[in-house]
């Protein structure tokens, strides 16, 4: 009947989704279980991981959907080996907005490991511009513009994937570069060590859609999240032989 269908829909919509949809007020104490999709580390001057300062987590679902991810800020930080992607955890903390980024603040003691869980398949974004913040020239530098893609908020902290893209700006500054659709690639989770040549094509790029320093950006978790188009090596000049 209609009532049972409504109850079933309510059960499928978890606490993370309710936070991101605005159904839970800021500064509310929340508790839920989830799966870790990515880990954010503190690093020393030589870029060695020294502690875990945060986790990106998802509802326990097969494929990522709008509103299904959020950032967990660990106030007292955790050891570098305490958590990894795929950990099934339970936590209790306070929902906060930090520079317009939704997060749940916790202490290490507020997180319990329950085992492991499948990481959801990334949400496929057909048009990268829908989740991007275009950067604009500021003298010799680049800065985020004031207009965000229409679906950016929906996918904040969600694992996403864009396909058939290429590098359109090799250096936005601070280790970032840009893809088709003005989508910035950020180093918050992982610094991409591959070529950043303008024109280099990728079959797909996967990462968490983060909101940082006034811009929505995709943050890959590892080099393998950027699947290069093996038939293209970027804009390396005309050799006269293709």
């Amino acid at each position: 009947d209609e009532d049972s269908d409504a109850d079933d829909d309510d059960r499928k919509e978890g606490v993370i989704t309710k936070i991101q949809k605005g159904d839970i007020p800021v500064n509310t104490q929340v508790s839920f279980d989830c799966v870790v999709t990515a880990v954010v580390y503190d690093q020393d001057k030589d870029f060695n991981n020294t502690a875990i300062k945060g986790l990106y987590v998802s509802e326990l679902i097969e494929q990522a959907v709008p509103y299904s991810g959020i950032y967990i800020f660990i106030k007292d930080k955790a050891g570098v080996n305490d958590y990894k992607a795929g950990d099934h955890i339970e936590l209790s903390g306070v929902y906060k907005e930090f520079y317009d980024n939704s997060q749940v603040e916790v202490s290490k003691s507020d997180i319990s490991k329950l085992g492991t869980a499948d990481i959801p398949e990334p949400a496929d974004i057909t048009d990268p511009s829908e989740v991007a913040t275009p950067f604009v020239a500021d003298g010799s530098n680049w800065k985020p513009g004031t207009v965000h893609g229409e679906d950016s908020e929906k996918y904040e902290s969600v694992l996403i994937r864009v396909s058939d893209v290429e590098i359109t700006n090799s250096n936005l500054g601070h280790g970032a570069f840009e893809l088709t659709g003005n989508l910035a690639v950020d180093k918050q989770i992982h610094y991409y060590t591959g070529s950043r040549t303008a024109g280099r094509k990728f079959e797909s790029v996967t990462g968490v859609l983060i909101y940082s320093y006034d811009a929505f950006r995709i943050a890959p978790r590892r080099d393998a999240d950027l699947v290069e188009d093996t038939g293209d090596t970027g804009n390396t000049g005309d050799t006269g032989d293709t």
Side-chain angles (χ1 to χ4, degrees), residues 5-241:
D5 288 343
D7 291 342
D8 187 54
D9 289 342
D10 186 59
R11 285 197 296 271
K12 290 177 182 177
E13 188 168 284
V15 173
I16 294 174
T17 301
K18 291 177 180 177
I19 290 173
Q20 296 289 35
K21 282 187 172 183
D23 296 336
I24 293 178
V26 177
N27 297 322
T28 296
Q29 183 79 24
V30 294
S31 299
F32 54 89
D33 66 323
C34 53
V35 60
V36 177
T37 56
V39 178
V40 181
Y41 296 95
D42 262 345
Q43 295 183 322
D44 61 21
K45 61 182 179 64
D46 296 317
F47 305 107
N48 297 306
N49 295 333
T50 59
I52 292 175
K53 62 181 179 181
L55 308 169
Y56 284 100
V57 300
S58 169
E59 304 275 21
L60 297 165
I61 51 181
E62 291 185 4
Q63 183 166 27
V65 295
Y67 308 110
S68 62
I70 199 166
Y71 180 63
I72 307 301
F73 173 63
I74 305 174
K75 294 182 290 186
D76 47 349
K77 300 184 182 178
V80 292
N81 297 314
D82 284 357
Y83 303 103
K84 63 183 185 298
D87 281 345
H88 181 193
I89 60 173
E90 185 176 53
L91 60 88
S92 179
V94 179
Y95 159 46
K96 300 275 190 177
E97 286 290 325
F98 183 74
Y99 289 99
D100 295 323
N101 184 57
S102 301
Q103 63 181 38
V104 176
E105 292 187 1
V106 303
S107 298
K108 286 185 293 186
S109 59
D110 297 325
I111 307 174
S112 300
K113 279 190 182 180
L114 303 178
T116 60
D118 291 335
I119 298 172
E121 280 293 308
D124 283 306
I125 306 299
T126 304
D127 180 359
S129 69
E130 293 179 351
V131 295
T133 299
F135 279 61
V136 296
D138 182 24
S140 59
N141 300 315
W142 294 88
K143 67 177 184 179
T146 57
V147 178
H148 310 300
E150 61 181 350
D151 289 338
S152 300
E153 286 282 352
K154 296 178 182 179
Y155 288 98
E156 178 189 285
S157 299
V158 173
L159 188 64
I160 66 169
R161 177 170 53 212
V162 295
S163 300
D164 299 322
V165 294
E166 65 180 65
I167 296 176
T168 53
N169 187 331
S170 62
N171 185 9
L172 290 175
H174 305 288
F177 58 99
E178 183 187 74
L179 300 174
T180 303
N182 301 117
L183 180 60
V185 179
D186 195 84
K187 65 173 184 176
Q188 184 194 81
I189 299 171
H190 174 77
Y191 184 90
Y192 176 58
T193 59
S195 170
R196 296 165 177 237
T197 307
R200 178 171 289 275
K201 298 180 186 296
F202 297 93
E203 292 181 8
S204 66
V205 176
T206 299
V208 178
L209 187 72
I210 68 170
Y211 183 73
S212 177
Y213 294 100
D214 302 318
F216 287 96
R217 316 153 187 249
I218 188 171
R221 302 160 297 172
R222 50 186 177 264
D223 274 7
D225 275 345
L226 294 97
V227 181
E228 295 186 8
D229 184 337
T230 56
D232 180 85
T233 56
N235 182 15
T236 55
D238 184 4
T239 62
D241 182 7

